[in-house]
Amino acid sequence: MRMHRFISLVTITLLALASIQAADMDTILEQAKQNSSTIQLIMLGKQGNDLSIAMSEVDQTMGLEASADLSYADGTRSPLARDSMSVNPSVTISLPNDGNTSFTIGTDYVDWALDGSNAWRAKPSVSVSHTFRFGDAGDVLKDLQLTRQKLEIEQTYRQRLYDFESSILAKIHEIVGHEMTLLTNEKDILVQRTKIDNAVKLKTTTVGSATYRSMELELARLENAKASTTQKLAMARTQYAQLTGLDWEGLDTVREADLSFTYLPTGDTSVILSALDLEIAKEQLALKKRSTVKVGTSSTVPNLTVSGGTALSYAKNPLETISYDVNAGARYASGSFTTAASVSLSISDTGAVRPLLTVGGSWKNNPTVESEVLTLRSLENAVTIAGIDYQEAMLSYQIKANQLEADILSHKLDVQRFEEVSSYRQQVLDLALSALEKGLTTQSEVDQARLDVELSSHEITRYALQALILENRAKALQL
């Protein structure tokens, strides 16, 4: 009877693990995320990184700049040979294009006399400038770096969420395992005590004998095992509360995991990041080579800047004179060599034309030739290292993917074997119930079979938790 009562109590205790307050797995994860300061930091970090990316992608808008200077000159230094005031307002409009096109509208000067003679002069003008670049000045490199930054931010964010979820799943898996072990410990203790009582009652052993002491030692070992399991369970529940901000109240349902992992020939995000690192290293080397000519001198990407403008000069001092200015120019820079040419035409009101042609250039050597050679070698080594890192990243992905596929298969096979065991335990319970009705077995054997079936249901929960952890691993390898 004692065995029967205790196994019935164990069964009731086991059923109580799925209490009314138990929650489903998705609810626990959602509440844990809401309570977790770690998740809040992850979200804030993601938002900060997204803002940084957004700021770097803001399109340049049209620029507008206005300026003006006002000055006074006495008659000895005034162009009007009398006390005068002068102002030179201008407005520059810069367009947001690759050529840095700009328009400038203003006056080179506006002078007027202060003695009431109405003498004045002015020179309004308009000019335009545009730069043509013959090669990439680093735009491709910036695009590669921005793409890499985006991918890394997203991967880090997702990976940290998966790691957080998996840590909770693993902790619940641990708790359920300790609870099952504790119930098994209690059952074993009861069986051992019953064995000792029966041995004494049936006089197969006597108190104080070697056999009796051996049975007492086994009972002590089982009680120590129970105490150890109790301590482990208490610690696991405390850690669960620290991790989730929730008290452990049991687990109701666990959704079915999606274990349909697909191997990616190009690798996951980690591999793609390594591939981008390789392309960035190559582009940095190419950019350095493009800005370094064979003689060892350095420059920017070859570029041609063209400009042009027109101006009208008017003066009344006291006679009226009008003249016109038309100018155009170009400046080409490549390597250490720079050349420029400009032409201007001054046309008087009588039609006289005075051309002015200016041609110039400059050259300079590079005093840092040895330094740049070492820089090129360093960049070449960086390309080699990035290539090796990419190959290692791909190999690491292949190993992780293969291991995950093996773990998923092993899990499925374990579940299949357990389903057979669970089905067998249910058959044993059904046969025990039928035999009990016919008086061919005892209630204790029925309770034992029922306990095994209930333990199977908890083992199914543990397998479901393991599957969710595998699902998160698969998600991480498919980012």
Short mmCIF file of all heavy atoms in Angstrom, two decimals, residues 413-458:
data_model
loop_
_atom_site.label_atom_id
_atom_site.label_comp_id
_atom_site.label_asym_id
_atom_site.label_seq_id
_atom_site.Cartn_x
_atom_site.Cartn_y
_atom_site.Cartn_z
N LEU A 413 16.31 11.19 -35.48
CA LEU A 413 16.41 9.76 -35.18
C LEU A 413 16.13 9.50 -33.70
O LEU A 413 15.46 8.52 -33.35
CB LEU A 413 17.80 9.24 -35.55
CG LEU A 413 18.13 9.24 -37.06
CD1 LEU A 413 19.57 8.81 -37.29
CD2 LEU A 413 17.17 8.34 -37.83
N ASP A 414 16.65 10.38 -32.82
CA ASP A 414 16.38 10.24 -31.38
C ASP A 414 14.89 10.36 -31.10
O ASP A 414 14.35 9.61 -30.27
CB ASP A 414 17.15 11.30 -30.59
CG ASP A 414 18.65 11.03 -30.58
OD1 ASP A 414 19.05 9.89 -30.88
OD2 ASP A 414 19.42 11.97 -30.27
N VAL A 415 14.24 11.30 -31.78
CA VAL A 415 12.80 11.48 -31.58
C VAL A 415 12.05 10.24 -32.05
O VAL A 415 11.10 9.79 -31.39
CB VAL A 415 12.31 12.74 -32.31
CG1 VAL A 415 10.79 12.81 -32.30
CG2 VAL A 415 12.89 14.00 -31.66
N GLN A 416 12.47 9.70 -33.18
CA GLN A 416 11.80 8.49 -33.69
C GLN A 416 11.95 7.33 -32.71
O GLN A 416 10.97 6.61 -32.43
CB GLN A 416 12.39 8.11 -35.05
CG GLN A 416 12.02 9.05 -36.17
CD GLN A 416 12.68 8.67 -37.49
OE1 GLN A 416 13.40 7.68 -37.57
NE2 GLN A 416 12.43 9.47 -38.53
N ARG A 417 13.16 7.16 -32.18
CA ARG A 417 13.36 6.07 -31.21
C ARG A 417 12.55 6.32 -29.94
O ARG A 417 11.96 5.39 -29.38
CB ARG A 417 14.86 5.96 -30.87
CG ARG A 417 15.69 5.30 -31.96
CD ARG A 417 17.07 4.96 -31.47
NE ARG A 417 17.84 6.15 -31.16
CZ ARG A 417 18.66 6.75 -32.02
NH1 ARG A 417 18.81 6.25 -33.24
NH2 ARG A 417 19.34 7.82 -31.67
N PHE A 418 12.52 7.57 -29.52
CA PHE A 418 11.76 7.87 -28.30
C PHE A 418 10.26 7.66 -28.52
O PHE A 418 9.55 7.21 -27.61
CB PHE A 418 12.02 9.30 -27.84
CG PHE A 418 11.22 9.69 -26.64
CD1 PHE A 418 11.56 9.22 -25.38
CD2 PHE A 418 10.09 10.49 -26.77
CE1 PHE A 418 10.80 9.56 -24.27
CE2 PHE A 418 9.34 10.83 -25.66
CZ PHE A 418 9.70 10.37 -24.41
N GLU A 419 9.79 8.00 -29.71
CA GLU A 419 8.37 7.76 -29.99
C GLU A 419 8.03 6.29 -29.88
O GLU A 419 6.94 5.92 -29.42
CB GLU A 419 8.02 8.30 -31.38
CG GLU A 419 7.98 9.83 -31.45
CD GLU A 419 7.73 10.32 -32.86
OE1 GLU A 419 7.83 9.49 -33.80
OE2 GLU A 419 7.47 11.52 -33.03
N GLU A 420 8.96 5.43 -30.29
CA GLU A 420 8.73 3.99 -30.14
C GLU A 420 8.69 3.61 -28.66
O GLU A 420 7.83 2.81 -28.24
CB GLU A 420 9.85 3.23 -30.86
CG GLU A 420 9.84 3.41 -32.36
CD GLU A 420 11.03 2.75 -33.02
OE1 GLU A 420 11.86 2.19 -32.28
OE2 GLU A 420 11.14 2.80 -34.27
N VAL A 421 9.62 4.18 -27.88
CA VAL A 421 9.63 3.90 -26.43
C VAL A 421 8.36 4.43 -25.79
O VAL A 421 7.74 3.75 -24.95
CB VAL A 421 10.88 4.52 -25.79
CG1 VAL A 421 10.81 4.41 -24.27
CG2 VAL A 421 12.15 3.87 -26.31
N SER A 422 7.97 5.65 -26.18
CA SER A 422 6.76 6.25 -25.60
C SER A 422 5.53 5.43 -25.95
O SER A 422 4.64 5.22 -25.11
CB SER A 422 6.61 7.68 -26.12
OG SER A 422 5.45 8.29 -25.59
N SER A 423 5.49 4.94 -27.20
CA SER A 423 4.36 4.10 -27.61
C SER A 423 4.34 2.79 -26.81
O SER A 423 3.27 2.32 -26.38
CB SER A 423 4.45 3.80 -29.10
OG SER A 423 3.44 2.93 -29.51
N TYR A 424 5.53 2.23 -26.58
CA TYR A 424 5.62 1.00 -25.79
C TYR A 424 5.15 1.24 -24.35
O TYR A 424 4.41 0.41 -23.79
CB TYR A 424 7.06 0.50 -25.79
CG TYR A 424 7.32 -0.63 -24.83
CD1 TYR A 424 6.88 -1.94 -25.10
CD2 TYR A 424 7.98 -0.39 -23.62
CE1 TYR A 424 7.10 -2.97 -24.20
CE2 TYR A 424 8.20 -1.42 -22.72
CZ TYR A 424 7.76 -2.70 -23.01
OH TYR A 424 7.99 -3.73 -22.11
N ARG A 425 5.54 2.39 -23.77
CA ARG A 425 5.11 2.68 -22.40
C ARG A 425 3.60 2.84 -22.33
O ARG A 425 2.97 2.41 -21.34
CB ARG A 425 5.79 3.97 -21.92
CG ARG A 425 7.29 3.81 -21.65
CD ARG A 425 7.91 5.14 -21.28
NE ARG A 425 9.34 5.00 -20.98
CZ ARG A 425 10.14 6.01 -20.70
NH1 ARG A 425 9.66 7.26 -20.68
NH2 ARG A 425 11.42 5.79 -20.44
N GLN A 426 3.00 3.42 -23.35
CA GLN A 426 1.55 3.57 -23.36
C GLN A 426 0.88 2.19 -23.47
O GLN A 426 -0.14 1.94 -22.82
CB GLN A 426 1.13 4.46 -24.54
CG GLN A 426 -0.35 4.76 -24.61
CD GLN A 426 -0.85 5.53 -23.40
OE1 GLN A 426 -0.28 6.53 -23.02
NE2 GLN A 426 -1.93 5.04 -22.77
N GLN A 427 1.46 1.31 -24.27
CA GLN A 427 0.91 -0.04 -24.38
C GLN A 427 1.01 -0.78 -23.05
O GLN A 427 0.08 -1.50 -22.66
CB GLN A 427 1.66 -0.82 -25.47
CG GLN A 427 1.44 -0.29 -26.88
CD GLN A 427 2.30 -1.00 -27.90
OE1 GLN A 427 2.94 -2.01 -27.59
NE2 GLN A 427 2.32 -0.48 -29.13
N VAL A 428 2.14 -0.59 -22.36
CA VAL A 428 2.30 -1.22 -21.04
C VAL A 428 1.23 -0.72 -20.08
O VAL A 428 0.64 -1.50 -19.31
CB VAL A 428 3.71 -0.94 -20.48
CG1 VAL A 428 3.80 -1.39 -19.02
CG2 VAL A 428 4.76 -1.65 -21.32
N LEU A 429 0.96 0.60 -20.12
CA LEU A 429 -0.07 1.16 -19.24
C LEU A 429 -1.44 0.59 -19.60
O LEU A 429 -2.22 0.22 -18.70
CB LEU A 429 -0.08 2.69 -19.36
CG LEU A 429 -1.19 3.42 -18.58
CD1 LEU A 429 -1.11 3.13 -17.09
CD2 LEU A 429 -1.13 4.92 -18.84
N ASP A 430 -1.75 0.51 -20.87
CA ASP A 430 -3.05 -0.02 -21.29
C ASP A 430 -3.21 -1.48 -20.84
O ASP A 430 -4.28 -1.88 -20.35
CB ASP A 430 -3.20 0.08 -22.81
CG ASP A 430 -3.26 1.52 -23.29
OD1 ASP A 430 -3.57 2.40 -22.47
OD2 ASP A 430 -2.97 1.78 -24.49
N LEU A 431 -2.15 -2.28 -20.98
CA LEU A 431 -2.20 -3.68 -20.56
C LEU A 431 -2.33 -3.78 -19.05
O LEU A 431 -3.05 -4.65 -18.52
CB LEU A 431 -0.94 -4.42 -21.03
CG LEU A 431 -0.82 -4.64 -22.55
CD1 LEU A 431 0.54 -5.23 -22.89
CD2 LEU A 431 -1.95 -5.53 -23.06
N ALA A 432 -1.63 -2.88 -18.34
CA ALA A 432 -1.70 -2.91 -16.88
C ALA A 432 -3.11 -2.57 -16.40
O ALA A 432 -3.63 -3.19 -15.46
CB ALA A 432 -0.68 -1.94 -16.28
N LEU A 433 -3.73 -1.59 -17.03
CA LEU A 433 -5.11 -1.22 -16.66
C LEU A 433 -6.06 -2.37 -16.94
O LEU A 433 -6.97 -2.66 -16.14
CB LEU A 433 -5.54 0.04 -17.44
CG LEU A 433 -4.86 1.35 -17.04
CD1 LEU A 433 -5.23 2.46 -18.02
CD2 LEU A 433 -5.27 1.75 -15.62
N SER A 434 -5.87 -3.04 -18.08
CA SER A 434 -6.73 -4.17 -18.41
C SER A 434 -6.52 -5.32 -17.43
O SER A 434 -7.49 -5.96 -16.99
CB SER A 434 -6.43 -4.63 -19.84
OG SER A 434 -7.20 -5.76 -20.17
N ALA A 435 -5.26 -5.56 -17.06
CA ALA A 435 -4.97 -6.65 -16.12
C ALA A 435 -5.50 -6.33 -14.74
O ALA A 435 -5.94 -7.22 -14.00
CB ALA A 435 -3.45 -6.87 -16.06
N LEU A 436 -5.46 -5.01 -14.37
CA LEU A 436 -5.97 -4.63 -13.06
C LEU A 436 -7.47 -4.90 -12.96
O LEU A 436 -7.97 -5.35 -11.91
CB LEU A 436 -5.68 -3.15 -12.80
CG LEU A 436 -6.14 -2.60 -11.46
CD1 LEU A 436 -5.41 -3.30 -10.30
CD2 LEU A 436 -5.92 -1.08 -11.38
N GLU A 437 -8.20 -4.66 -14.03
CA GLU A 437 -9.63 -4.93 -14.04
C GLU A 437 -9.93 -6.42 -13.85
O GLU A 437 -10.94 -6.81 -13.27
CB GLU A 437 -10.25 -4.43 -15.35
CG GLU A 437 -10.23 -2.92 -15.50
CD GLU A 437 -10.81 -2.50 -16.84
OE1 GLU A 437 -11.13 -3.40 -17.65
OE2 GLU A 437 -10.92 -1.28 -17.08
N LYS A 438 -9.02 -7.26 -14.32
CA LYS A 438 -9.21 -8.70 -14.20
C LYS A 438 -8.57 -9.26 -12.95
O LYS A 438 -8.61 -10.47 -12.72
CB LYS A 438 -8.61 -9.40 -15.43
CG LYS A 438 -9.26 -8.97 -16.74
CD LYS A 438 -8.57 -9.61 -17.94
CE LYS A 438 -9.18 -9.14 -19.24
NZ LYS A 438 -8.49 -9.73 -20.43
N GLY A 439 -7.94 -8.36 -12.17
CA GLY A 439 -7.31 -8.81 -10.93
C GLY A 439 -6.01 -9.54 -11.14
O GLY A 439 -5.60 -10.31 -10.26
N LEU A 440 -5.36 -9.30 -12.29
CA LEU A 440 -4.13 -10.00 -12.60
C LEU A 440 -2.87 -9.19 -12.27
O LEU A 440 -1.76 -9.67 -12.51
CB LEU A 440 -4.10 -10.38 -14.09
CG LEU A 440 -5.25 -11.29 -14.55
CD1 LEU A 440 -5.17 -11.53 -16.05
CD2 LEU A 440 -5.23 -12.61 -13.78
N THR A 441 -3.04 -7.98 -11.78
CA THR A 441 -1.88 -7.15 -11.42
C THR A 441 -2.27 -6.26 -10.26
O THR A 441 -3.43 -6.25 -9.80
CB THR A 441 -1.42 -6.31 -12.62
OG1 THR A 441 -0.18 -5.67 -12.28
CG2 THR A 441 -2.45 -5.24 -12.96
N THR A 442 -1.31 -5.50 -9.77
CA THR A 442 -1.55 -4.63 -8.62
C THR A 442 -1.66 -3.17 -9.07
O THR A 442 -1.23 -2.78 -10.16
CB THR A 442 -0.40 -4.74 -7.61
OG1 THR A 442 0.81 -4.27 -8.22
CG2 THR A 442 -0.22 -6.18 -7.16
N GLN A 443 -2.24 -2.35 -8.18
CA GLN A 443 -2.37 -0.92 -8.47
C GLN A 443 -0.99 -0.25 -8.57
O GLN A 443 -0.80 0.69 -9.33
CB GLN A 443 -3.20 -0.25 -7.37
CG GLN A 443 -3.47 1.24 -7.59
CD GLN A 443 -4.31 1.49 -8.82
OE1 GLN A 443 -5.30 0.81 -9.06
NE2 GLN A 443 -3.90 2.49 -9.63
N SER A 444 -0.04 -0.76 -7.81
CA SER A 444 1.31 -0.18 -7.83
C SER A 444 1.93 -0.30 -9.23
O SER A 444 2.57 0.63 -9.72
CB SER A 444 2.20 -0.88 -6.81
OG SER A 444 1.73 -0.65 -5.50
N GLU A 445 1.73 -1.45 -9.87
CA GLU A 445 2.28 -1.61 -11.21
C GLU A 445 1.60 -0.69 -12.21
O GLU A 445 2.24 -0.15 -13.14
CB GLU A 445 2.14 -3.06 -11.65
CG GLU A 445 3.01 -4.03 -10.85
CD GLU A 445 2.84 -5.47 -11.31
OE1 GLU A 445 1.98 -5.70 -12.19
OE2 GLU A 445 3.57 -6.34 -10.81
N VAL A 446 0.30 -0.47 -12.02
CA VAL A 446 -0.43 0.47 -12.89
C VAL A 446 0.10 1.88 -12.69
O VAL A 446 0.34 2.63 -13.65
CB VAL A 446 -1.94 0.41 -12.61
CG1 VAL A 446 -2.68 1.51 -13.38
CG2 VAL A 446 -2.50 -0.95 -12.98
N ASP A 447 0.30 2.27 -11.41
CA ASP A 447 0.81 3.62 -11.13
C ASP A 447 2.22 3.80 -11.69
O ASP A 447 2.59 4.88 -12.17
CB ASP A 447 0.81 3.88 -9.63
CG ASP A 447 -0.62 4.00 -9.08
OD1 ASP A 447 -1.53 4.30 -9.88
OD2 ASP A 447 -0.81 3.80 -7.87
N GLN A 448 3.02 2.74 -11.61
CA GLN A 448 4.38 2.81 -12.16
C GLN A 448 4.32 3.02 -13.68
O GLN A 448 5.06 3.84 -14.23
CB GLN A 448 5.14 1.53 -11.85
CG GLN A 448 6.55 1.48 -12.44
CD GLN A 448 7.46 2.55 -11.87
OE1 GLN A 448 7.65 2.62 -10.66
NE2 GLN A 448 8.01 3.39 -12.74
N ALA A 449 3.44 2.31 -14.36
CA ALA A 449 3.29 2.47 -15.81
C ALA A 449 2.77 3.86 -16.16
O ALA A 449 3.22 4.49 -17.13
CB ALA A 449 2.34 1.41 -16.36
N ARG A 450 1.84 4.38 -15.33
CA ARG A 450 1.31 5.73 -15.57
C ARG A 450 2.41 6.78 -15.36
O ARG A 450 2.49 7.78 -16.10
CB ARG A 450 0.13 5.99 -14.64
CG ARG A 450 -0.51 7.36 -14.88
CD ARG A 450 -1.72 7.58 -14.00
NE ARG A 450 -2.85 6.76 -14.44
CZ ARG A 450 -3.34 5.73 -13.76
NH1 ARG A 450 -2.79 5.39 -12.60
NH2 ARG A 450 -4.36 5.04 -14.23
N LEU A 451 3.27 6.56 -14.36
CA LEU A 451 4.37 7.48 -14.11
C LEU A 451 5.33 7.51 -15.31
O LEU A 451 5.79 8.57 -15.73
CB LEU A 451 5.13 7.06 -12.85
CG LEU A 451 6.38 7.88 -12.49
CD1 LEU A 451 6.02 9.33 -12.27
CD2 LEU A 451 7.08 7.30 -11.28
N ASP A 452 5.62 6.34 -15.88
CA ASP A 452 6.50 6.29 -17.05
C ASP A 452 5.91 7.05 -18.23
O ASP A 452 6.62 7.74 -18.97
CB ASP A 452 6.76 4.83 -17.45
CG ASP A 452 7.63 4.11 -16.43
OD1 ASP A 452 8.36 4.80 -15.68
OD2 ASP A 452 7.58 2.86 -16.39
N VAL A 453 4.58 6.95 -18.41
CA VAL A 453 3.92 7.66 -19.50
C VAL A 453 4.00 9.16 -19.29
O VAL A 453 4.26 9.94 -20.22
CB VAL A 453 2.45 7.20 -19.63
CG1 VAL A 453 1.69 8.11 -20.61
CG2 VAL A 453 2.39 5.76 -20.11
N GLU A 454 3.79 9.59 -18.04
CA GLU A 454 3.86 11.03 -17.75
C GLU A 454 5.28 11.56 -17.93
O GLU A 454 5.48 12.67 -18.42
CB GLU A 454 3.37 11.30 -16.33
CG GLU A 454 1.88 11.03 -16.11
CD GLU A 454 1.02 11.94 -16.97
OE1 GLU A 454 1.47 13.04 -17.34
OE2 GLU A 454 -0.12 11.55 -17.30
N LEU A 455 6.25 10.76 -17.52
CA LEU A 455 7.64 11.17 -17.73
C LEU A 455 7.95 11.29 -19.23
O LEU A 455 8.72 12.15 -19.65
CB LEU A 455 8.59 10.18 -17.07
CG LEU A 455 8.66 10.23 -15.53
CD1 LEU A 455 9.50 9.08 -15.00
CD2 LEU A 455 9.23 11.56 -15.05
N SER A 456 7.33 10.44 -20.03
CA SER A 456 7.53 10.50 -21.47
C SER A 456 7.02 11.82 -22.04
O SER A 456 7.63 12.40 -22.95
CB SER A 456 6.81 9.34 -22.16
OG SER A 456 7.40 8.10 -21.82
N SER A 457 5.90 12.30 -21.51
CA SER A 457 5.36 13.57 -22.01
C SER A 457 6.33 14.72 -21.74
O SER A 457 6.48 15.64 -22.56
CB SER A 457 4.00 13.86 -21.36
OG SER A 457 4.15 14.09 -19.97
N HIS A 458 7.03 14.67 -20.60
CA HIS A 458 8.01 15.71 -20.30
C HIS A 458 9.27 15.54 -21.15
O HIS A 458 9.91 16.52 -21.52
CB HIS A 458 8.36 15.69 -18.82
CG HIS A 458 7.30 16.32 -17.96
ND1 HIS A 458 6.08 15.73 -17.75
CD2 HIS A 458 7.28 17.50 -17.29
CE1 HIS A 458 5.35 16.50 -16.97
NE2 HIS A 458 6.06 17.59 -16.67
#
